[in-house]
Amino acid sequence: MTRVHTGPTERPSMPEAAPRRGVASRFWRGGTQTRVHHAARPKPNLLATLREWHKRLGLFAFFFMGWLGFSGFLINQSAGWGYDTVRIDWGWVMALYGLHPEPPRTGFNAGDHWLAVTSDYTLLDAQPLNERIEEPIGFVAGGGLDRPLLFVATSSSVIMLTPDGGLYDELRSPILPVSNVRRIGQTEDGAIAVQDLDAYQSGDSGDSWQPIDPLKVTWSTTEAIPDPERELLMPYSRPSVSLEHVLVDAHSGRLFGNFGAWVINFVGFAAIGLSISGMWMWWRIRSNRRKVSR
């Protein structure tokens, strides 16, 4: 069998791939530069701008308005929850008020005992009494060897204390011969004396009183407290304020001085801005919807 040579088989020609164009070729065609047109940015819109600032002011005011509402609620409940009587002496709070511990410089001396008053305590020998004595006007030691007593005068009574500060008794009119006590003192023989217009003395712990010449009495007056005694008073001399007062100042921003007050003022302005911008956006959107529906 004879083979017929037909020659090399020709493959069908494939179209040549188009040359890839680089980045430069995309911008240059035939030596002529073509400009690339970007999508035009939308023009500023007053409604969109207001929405953006409305959100920003809302985020800023959110935390402060929450605090103002919460603190306002606590202030309204202050009397019922006792915040008007609770006192705090935290160091950082007192520093914000510019207050620092300051022991009293004067007090009353009776024998070996010292009576001093701070903003929160009445102290006998640098120890606080169980009940604070408001505005004592005199302090003397009396009683007998078997029953020593200390007498603290106020404008309306004479309070009798044991040497360790315990309450023994309190004398008022009519047991006390005067309705108002102007001063308290002691006679040479150790009797206790009080005076309003007239002076009276008692040698038996206040059970009976007799008139006495005021010139024969050594009246109690304030004296300078020695430095060692003042050092003992330091722990009880820290200033304090009521919790209600702190809440009111925190609510108004005054707790942090003028800066805090202006922050709260700005929150108020932000709230006004939020209400105005909110009402304007509501009106604008409502107007646009009416136009579309027509």
Side-chain angles (χ1 to χ4, degrees):
M1 182 175 181
T2 306
R3 296 180 176 178
V4 179
H5 181 69
T6 60
T9 306
E10 294 182 1
R11 296 180 178 178
S13 60
M14 300 293 292
E16 294 183 1
R20 295 183 178 180
R21 294 180 178 180
V23 176
S25 64
R26 299 180 184 179
F27 301 101
W28 293 87
R29 294 179 181 174
T32 304
Q33 184 181 10
T34 59
R35 295 180 180 178
V36 179
H37 297 281
H38 297 281
R41 295 182 179 179
K43 294 182 178 180
N45 182 279
L46 179 59
L47 182 60
T49 303
L50 277 179
R51 283 179 177 174
E52 184 64 26
W53 279 102
H54 190 84
K55 289 189 294 184
R56 293 178 182 178
L57 289 176
L59 289 175
F60 172 79
F62 172 76
F63 300 100
F64 289 97
M65 295 300 291
W67 163 247
L68 290 177
F70 179 68
S71 60
F73 170 77
L74 293 179
I75 293 171
N76 288 335
Q77 299 297 321
S78 178
W81 291 357
Y83 292 161
D84 55 341
T85 58
V86 175
R87 302 189 68 83
I88 59 176
D89 57 359
W90 303 335
W92 66 274
V93 175
M94 297 302 101
L96 291 175
Y97 280 107
L99 302 176
H100 305 283
E102 181 64 29
R105 297 186 177 276
T106 60
F108 297 97
N109 176 247
D112 297 330
H113 302 283
W114 279 95
L115 184 76
V117 178
T118 65
S119 58
D120 297 317
Y121 300 99
T122 301
L123 299 145
L124 176 64
D125 300 329
Q127 295 299 318
L129 300 178
N130 292 332
E131 294 187 11
R132 186 171 184 268
I133 300 176
E134 297 289 343
E135 299 181 358
I137 58 175
F139 176 55
V140 295
L145 296 177
D146 57 336
R147 190 180 58 180
L149 293 173
L150 302 174
F151 297 80
V152 182
T154 68
S155 60
S156 60
S157 67
V158 173
I159 300 171
M160 304 168 65
L161 303 174
T162 59
D164 60 355
L167 178 62
Y168 182 81
D169 198 359
E170 184 173 5
L171 305 178
R172 293 179 179 271
S173 179
I175 296 177
L176 206 62
V178 294
S179 57
N180 295 303
V181 180
R182 185 158 59 92
R183 55 183 180 175
I184 188 172
Q186 201 166 25
T187 63
E188 293 182 356
D189 57 0
I192 306 302
V194 294
Q195 182 183 11
D196 182 7
L197 296 177
D198 299 319
Y200 299 86
Q201 68 170 349
S202 174
D204 50 2
S205 302
D207 292 335
S208 61
W209 298 85
Q210 295 84 32
I212 188 176
D213 184 355
L215 299 178
K216 296 181 178 180
V217 180
T218 302
W219 301 106
S220 174
T221 58
T222 57
E223 301 179 27
I225 300 176
D227 290 339
E229 186 72 18
R230 290 191 70 222
E231 290 295 327
L232 298 176
L233 300 177
M234 182 68 75
Y236 306 100
S237 302
R238 291 182 298 182
S240 65
V241 295
S242 68
L243 181 55
E244 180 185 42
H245 191 92
V246 175
L247 286 174
V248 171
D249 286 345
H251 181 81
S252 64
R254 295 292 180 184
L255 182 62
F256 304 97
N258 291 331
F259 173 77
W262 275 108
V263 169
I264 299 300
N265 290 340
F266 186 78
V267 172
F269 294 142
I272 295 173
L274 286 172
S275 61
I276 295 175
S277 60
M279 289 297 297
W280 192 90
M281 287 188 295
W282 171 83
W283 175 80
R284 187 64 182 270
I285 293 172
R286 187 167 177 267
S287 300
N288 291 340
R289 286 178 179 175
R290 285 184 175 181
K291 291 179 181 179
V292 173
S293 63
R294 288 176 182 176

